[in-house]
Amino acid sequence: MAARDTTQENREFFRNELASAMREIREDYERINSRNRTDIESWYKLKVQEIQTQSARQSMEHNYAKEEIKRLRTQLGDLRGKLADLEGKNSLLEKQAEELAYQLEDDQRSYDSALNDRDTQTRRMRDECQALMVELQMLLDTKQTLDAEIAIYRRMLEGEEDRAGLKQLVEQVVRTHQIKQSDESESTRTLRGEKSSRQSYQRFAKGNVSILETSSEGKYIVLENTHRSKEEPIGEWKLRRRIDGRREIVYTFPRDFVLRPGKTVKIWANGHGIHSPPDQLVYEGEDTFGVGYNVQTILYNRENEERASLIQRSSGRQ
């Protein structure tokens, strides 16, 4: 009985010890678990805060990028609008410059024409002045003759001259009158036989090819390439020559014709020159390029654009 009681006590003792040890282990575990939980919660909160901070920063950066893209798109749209406006203005200015160039050419032609008309009018007025001076001199001579005759008649009426003196005076008056008439006839013939003439030239070139010369007798036309190093392909270009606004002659260059740098080409009318390309060509369609008082020689390219011209005007009067 005593042994069983001891064993029971031992069991109770060990049970209590085991329970105490388990409580200590549980307390240690709970303490460690609590510390780990606190550490994990702190780490979690820190990470969450870092993620939130990073997310906020990225959100701000994203919003800034969106605003920047929006601003750049707006700026790009404005620049495109300004570019379109500038291109329109540039096109308008180029058109105005071209129109001003054409207007300047027209004004230059009008000025040259007005200058030629003024020169013609000046020559005509000078000739008229000379004719008036001749006529005035004739009137003065006639007046002197009439004054002499009146003086003779006055002396006759006053009886101051004898017959011999009267005869001498009459012969002198008649001789003077005949000399004056002879001088007047010669002056009139000289004035009527006088001839005046004037020629004017007006050149225009848009590019390197120009019309250098045209024959006054209609035998040839000379073109020149003024560029020192660039060839000018003028195949199928046309030369139009208008004579006094009535007749028109058209010459077309060969398809592959090239005008070399700094060189000329002479186009002969049929029967006046030798065909020797590329320096000389012969137009077999016409025996002459025509002559007149107002001759326009114009060079057109394949697109029928005027590239060069030479206008000859001549005036004459019998």
Side-chain angles (χ1 to χ4, degrees):
M1 291 296 291
R4 286 198 298 272
D5 293 336
T6 302
T7 302
Q8 185 67 28
E9 291 176 357
N10 289 336
R11 289 179 178 175
E12 187 67 26
F13 174 77
F14 285 117
R15 185 179 295 113
N16 293 332
E17 288 294 329
L18 181 60
S20 176
M22 290 179 66
R23 282 195 302 274
E24 290 177 357
I25 292 171
R26 185 179 292 110
E27 290 176 357
D28 291 339
Y29 175 77
E30 289 178 354
R31 186 171 56 254
I32 293 171
N33 187 28
S34 177
R35 185 172 63 251
N36 290 337
R37 184 182 293 109
T38 302
D39 293 340
I40 290 173
E41 288 178 354
S42 299
W43 179 84
Y44 175 76
K45 290 179 180 180
L46 180 62
K47 291 299 181 182
V48 169
Q49 186 176 1
E50 290 178 356
I51 292 172
Q52 289 178 349
T53 303
Q54 185 177 3
S55 176
R57 184 172 62 253
Q58 290 179 352
S59 178
M60 291 177 61
E61 291 177 354
H62 180 68
N63 292 333
Y64 176 77
K66 288 175 63 177
E67 292 295 330
E68 187 68 15
I69 291 173
K70 183 178 179 181
R71 185 183 65 81
L72 291 176
R73 285 179 178 175
T74 303
Q75 186 176 1
L76 180 61
D78 295 339
L79 291 176
R80 285 178 177 174
K82 291 180 180 179
L83 179 61
D85 294 339
L86 291 175
E87 288 178 347
K89 291 180 180 179
N90 185 46
S91 177
L92 180 61
L93 290 175
E94 288 179 350
K95 185 177 180 180
Q96 290 178 352
E98 186 176 359
E99 291 176 353
L100 288 175
Y102 287 138
Q103 183 177 357
L104 180 61
E105 294 171 5
D106 293 338
D107 292 343
Q108 184 65 33
R109 293 177 182 176
S110 300
Y111 172 76
D112 292 339
S113 177
L115 185 62
N116 294 332
D117 294 340
R118 189 199 66 179
D119 293 341
T120 302
Q121 186 177 4
T122 302
R123 289 194 305 272
R124 184 174 64 252
M125 293 179 65
R126 186 182 295 113
D127 295 340
E128 291 177 356
C129 288
Q130 291 178 355
L132 290 174
M133 290 179 65
V134 171
E135 185 177 357
L136 179 61
Q137 186 63 41
M138 292 169 59
L139 292 175
L140 291 175
D141 294 340
T142 302
K143 180 179 179 298
Q144 291 178 358
T145 303
L146 292 175
D147 290 341
E149 292 178 355
I150 291 172
I152 292 173
Y153 292 142
R154 183 180 292 113
R155 291 176 183 177
M156 289 175 61
L157 292 174
E158 293 176 354
E160 296 179 356
E161 298 291 342
D162 56 6
R163 292 181 177 273
L166 180 60
K167 182 178 180 181
Q168 183 179 2
L169 288 173
V170 172
E171 290 177 353
Q172 181 180 0
V173 170
V174 172
R175 185 168 57 253
T176 303
H177 184 66
Q178 290 176 349
I179 292 173
K180 296 298 182 182
Q181 284 184 340
S182 177
D183 292 341
E184 291 166 2
S185 299
E186 290 178 0
S187 299
T188 303
R189 285 196 299 271
T190 302
L191 181 62
R192 291 178 179 176
E194 183 181 358
K195 178 180 179 181
S196 62
S197 63
R198 176 183 175 87
Q199 287 188 345
S200 63
Y201 300 86
Q202 181 179 350
R203 287 185 175 85
F204 162 77
K206 187 178 181 181
N208 300 323
V209 181
S210 63
I211 302 175
L212 179 63
E213 180 186 0
T214 59
S215 171
S216 59
E217 299 175 353
K219 294 181 179 180
Y220 60 82
I221 300 173
V222 180
L223 267 61
E224 180 185 19
N225 181 2
T226 57
H227 203 282
R228 296 183 178 180
S229 59
K230 181 181 178 182
E231 293 182 343
E232 289 292 339
I234 59 174
E236 297 183 349
W237 287 29
K238 296 182 184 297
L239 269 175
R240 295 183 183 271
R241 187 169 168 91
R242 300 188 184 98
I243 299 94
D244 295 333
R246 297 189 300 271
R247 184 184 177 192
E248 182 173 283
I249 299 172
V250 181
Y251 170 74
T252 304
F253 283 88
R255 179 185 298 272
D256 299 324
F257 187 80
V258 176
L259 186 55
R260 294 173 297 174
K263 298 296 183 179
T264 61
V265 58
K266 179 178 287 188
I267 303 96
W268 292 95
N270 189 27
H272 295 286
I274 300 174
H275 186 72
S276 178
D279 299 324
Q280 299 186 75
L281 303 174
V282 175
Y283 181 31
E284 298 179 353
E286 294 287 345
D287 295 333
T288 177
F289 283 108
V291 295
Y293 289 102
N294 187 352
V295 181
Q296 299 180 1
T297 307
I298 305 175
L299 178 66
Y300 294 91
N301 61 11
R302 293 183 181 180
E303 289 74 26
N304 203 30
E305 297 175 346
E306 182 177 339
R307 303 300 298 177
S309 65
L310 175 60
I311 300 175
Q312 299 169 267
R313 294 187 179 93
S314 59
S315 60
R317 185 176 67 256
Q318 295 289 344

